[in-house]
């Protein structure tokens, strides 16, 4: 009986203990629920746009920011952006906008319609100083789930591209992110970081732009008709002996061709006729270097028209012939093997094609000044013509494997600083005899 009573008494005490423990647990839960534990905001950044931009260009994605907390929520109230580069952003940048990724696709790519603009004060916010604070009209809640934001620039139509200035955006350090530390958020902090920044973009003129009119191909002009005729494109057949689609290609007012079938069988006056219609010593200027047609037809230089010295039979590389075709020895280069009036937007020297620069870099060319563009006549040669020290780079142009420049007998090409001082004109280079 005693044993039975002992068990009964011990068992009878359990509910009494629970009556003490449970209320205490509930009290602690209530107390701790009212405490705002310090939330750390973590910030990361990826640069987006690269290369070049032009005056009046909008929706330029400078940086992609990702913010999240380690625990709980934090309130983000403003973003301080530092403009950097050689240009004056207070003049060149018309507007700065912040967008939040909200298209629910999860692609982490800026889309102006489905993604949501985060209004700042004022709405037409732009740089008022080298470092400007953009305050959100509606503070942003940052949680443990990462959120993506974009820094977007719109450039002024009067942005000054003289000298190819550069622009960029940068978050200098954790103080660039302002969070609410009032009330229960007093212990919230931003994790330390330094120099989260965009690529440095080059502000350039558009193709065939001038110092006084840097964007001739804007929506308010019709300079496309200089080369194209939508309703009155001529039939080149009778005048140039062309047939089929070659006779009326691309609605051009003059012929332009790159295909081996035309280049091998016609003179450069025909397949480069579009370019030569201006660059003939009259329309584009009267100096020798601007008379490209004259250089292509010159009898005074070794390789007029930068002609091929061997058959171009490779089907890989830059501007390679189609399978089963080749470029013949002696053909003069079509202009747009090197130049591109539509996509030379990196600020390249003489409208050298952006994609030619990319091809060279992807195949191991080391841009001498690391500015993401072809700067001068030397670099315009170097993208294709390897120095003697470039033993691992492969260059194939128009089906020809271009070897490294020689180290003799007359000159060591290592470290050459002025290609044209010996070779004359790039459109009609001379090979010196001594």
């Amino acid at each position: 009986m005693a044993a039975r009573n002992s068990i009964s008494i011990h068992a009878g005490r359990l509910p009494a203990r629970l009556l003490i423990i449970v209320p205490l647990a509930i009290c602690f839960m209530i107390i701790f629920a009212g405490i705002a534990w310090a939330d750390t905001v973590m910030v990361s950044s990826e640069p987006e746009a690269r290369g070049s931009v032009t005056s009046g260009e909008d929706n330029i994605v400078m940086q992609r920011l990702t913010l999240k907390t380690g625990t709980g929520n934090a309130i983000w109230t403003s973003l301080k952006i530092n403009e950097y580069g050689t240009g004056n952003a207070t003049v060149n940048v018309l507007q700065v906008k912040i967008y939040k990724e909200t298209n629910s696709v999860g692609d982490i790519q800026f889309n102006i319609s489905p993604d949501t603009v985060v209004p700042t004060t004022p709405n037409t916010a732009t740089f008022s100083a080298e470092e400007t604070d953009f305050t959100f009209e509606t503070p942003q809640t940052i949680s443990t789930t990462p959120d993506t934001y974009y820094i977007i620039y719109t450039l002024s139509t009067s942005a000054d591209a003289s000298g190819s200035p550069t622009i960029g955006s940068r978050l200098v350090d954790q103080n660039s992110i302002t969070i609410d530390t009032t009330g229960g958020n007093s212990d919230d902090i931003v994790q330390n970081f330094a120099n989260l920044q965009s690529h440095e973009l080059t502000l350039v003129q558009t193709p065939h732009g001038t110092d006084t009119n840097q964007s001739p191909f804007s929506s308010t002009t019709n300079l496309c008709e200089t080369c194209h005729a939508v309703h009155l494109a001529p039939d080149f057949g009778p005048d140039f002996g062309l047939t089929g689609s070659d006779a009326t290609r691309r609605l051009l007012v003059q012929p332009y061709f790159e295909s081996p079938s035309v280049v091998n069988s016609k003179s450069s006056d025909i397949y480069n006729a579009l370019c030569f219609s201006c660059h003939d010593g009259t329309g584009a200027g009267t100096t020798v270097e601007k008379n490209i047609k004259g250089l292509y037809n010159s009898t005074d230089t070794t390789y007029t028209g930068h002609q091929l010295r061997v058959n171009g039979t490779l089907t890989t590389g830059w501007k390679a012939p189609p399978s089963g075709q080749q470029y013949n020895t002696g053909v003069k280069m079509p202009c747009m093997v090197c130049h591109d009036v539509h996509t030379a937007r990196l600020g390249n020297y003489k409208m050298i094609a952006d994609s030619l620069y990319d091809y060279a870099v992807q195949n191991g060319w080391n841009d001498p000044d690391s500015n993401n563009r072809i700067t001068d006549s030397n670099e315009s040669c170097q993208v294709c013509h390897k120095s003697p020290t470039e033993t691992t780079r492969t260059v194939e142009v128009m089906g020809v494997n271009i070897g490294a420049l020689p180290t003799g007998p007359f000159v060591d090409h290592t470290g050459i600083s002025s290609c044209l001082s010996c070779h004359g004109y790039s459109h009609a280079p001379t090979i010196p005899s001594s």
Side-chain angles (χ1 to χ4, degrees):
M1 283 297 288
R4 189 183 301 115
N5 288 339
S6 174
I7 293 173
S8 177
I9 293 170
H10 181 68
R13 291 174 181 171
L14 289 176
R17 290 176 180 175
L18 288 175
L19 286 174
I20 296 173
I21 294 172
V22 171
L24 284 175
I26 294 174
C27 289
F28 277 116
M29 291 173 64
I30 293 172
I31 293 171
F32 283 110
I35 295 177
W37 294 97
D39 295 324
T40 300
V41 177
M42 292 165 282
V43 185
S44 62
S45 171
E46 289 292 334
E48 288 287 319
R50 67 174 293 273
S52 67
V53 287
T54 57
S55 58
E57 191 167 340
D58 60 2
N59 298 323
I60 305 167
V61 185
M62 302 302 294
Q63 289 177 256
R64 184 178 78 237
L65 305 177
T66 301
L67 290 85
K68 67 176 182 177
T69 62
T71 179
N73 293 341
I75 305 300
W76 182 23
T77 59
S78 69
L79 172 64
K80 187 181 295 182
I81 303 175
N82 176 273
E83 55 98 347
Y84 78 103
T86 61
N88 184 350
T90 59
V91 174
N92 292 334
V93 179
L94 177 68
Q95 188 174 39
V96 178
K97 288 186 177 180
I98 312 300
Y99 275 81
K100 183 179 181 180
E101 173 83 20
T102 55
N103 64 7
S104 301
V105 176
D107 54 3
I108 313 300
Q109 294 180 355
F110 174 64
N111 297 279
I112 191 169
S113 294
D115 291 333
T116 304
V117 67
V118 180
T120 56
T121 303
N123 257 345
T124 55
T126 187
F127 287 102
S128 58
E130 181 178 354
E131 192 169 64
T132 300
D133 215 346
F134 299 94
T135 301
F136 302 135
E137 291 184 1
T138 302
Q140 302 294 294
T141 300
I142 307 302
S143 68
T144 55
T145 301
D147 278 318
T148 299
Y149 293 82
Y150 302 98
I151 299 174
I152 307 295
Y153 279 8
T154 295
L155 301 187
S156 169
T157 55
S158 59
D160 184 9
S162 301
S164 298
T166 58
I167 60 172
S169 64
R170 173 167 52 200
L171 278 59
V172 174
D173 56 30
Q174 64 275 7
N175 295 314
S176 300
I177 302 290
T178 302
I179 58 175
D180 183 3
T181 57
T182 62
N185 302 309
S186 59
D187 293 328
D188 290 355
I189 60 172
V190 179
Q191 190 176 65
N192 290 351
F193 64 80
N195 290 331
L196 301 179
Q197 61 192 41
S198 69
H199 293 298
E200 196 168 353
L201 308 182
T202 304
L203 181 59
V204 299
Q205 300 173 359
T206 55
H208 284 187
T210 66
D211 288 339
T212 56
N213 183 13
Q214 298 172 11
S215 302
F217 289 91
S218 68
S219 59
T220 59
T221 66
N222 192 26
L223 291 188
C224 298
E225 67 181 3
T226 304
C227 298
H228 303 276
V230 177
H231 299 295
L232 299 173
D235 182 349
F236 303 134
D239 291 336
F240 297 99
L242 302 173
T243 60
S245 61
D246 283 344
T248 57
R249 68 193 305 262
R250 297 180 183 175
L251 302 177
L252 295 172
V253 298
Q254 293 284 345
Y256 174 78
F257 299 94
E258 295 177 352
S259 63
S261 60
V262 176
V263 172
N264 290 336
S265 61
K266 307 296 180 183
S267 76
S268 60
D269 286 358
I270 290 179
Y271 56 78
N272 284 334
L274 179 68
C275 303
F276 288 170
S277 64
C278 285
H279 295 274
D280 61 352
T282 59
T286 58
T287 59
V288 173
E289 63 271 17
K290 292 183 178 180
N291 183 4
I292 310 303
K293 182 177 181 179
L295 289 172
Y296 263 61
N297 292 313
S298 172
T299 58
D300 298 330
T301 59
T302 313
Y303 292 103
T304 56
H306 215 116
Q307 62 188 259
L308 300 190
R309 300 176 65 181
V310 297
N311 288 335
T313 58
L314 300 174
T315 57
T316 55
W318 177 253
K319 299 287 185 177
S323 178
Q325 300 184 46
Q326 69 174 37
Y327 287 104
N328 295 337
T329 301
V331 299
K332 300 175 183 180
M333 279 192 172
C335 297
M336 287 185 220
V337 168
C338 297
H339 308 281
D340 193 327
V341 297
H342 293 117
T343 64
R345 299 188 59 185
L346 293 179
N348 291 334
Y349 175 79
K350 301 296 185 183
M351 293 192 299
I352 300 295
D354 291 355
S355 45
L356 176 54
Y357 174 91
D358 292 338
Y359 169 77
V361 171
Q362 290 165 7
N363 283 275
W365 182 56
N366 183 25
D367 181 354
D369 46 21
S370 301
N371 65 349
N372 294 321
R373 63 190 180 95
I374 297 170
T375 305
D376 53 28
S377 61
N378 286 334
E379 290 189 10
S380 71
C381 298
Q382 293 166 4
V383 289
C384 293
H385 296 282
K386 301 182 292 184
S387 76
T389 59
E390 291 183 284
T391 57
T392 61
R393 181 159 74 108
T394 299
V395 181
E396 297 171 346
V397 179
M398 291 181 68
V400 176
N401 188 332
I402 301 178
L405 294 168
T407 57
F410 308 116
V411 65
D412 183 350
H413 284 88
T414 304
I416 289 294
S417 59
S418 179
C419 302
L420 299 185
S421 62
C422 291
H423 296 287
Y425 304 105
S426 57
H427 294 98
T430 295
I431 307 300
S433 58
S434 62

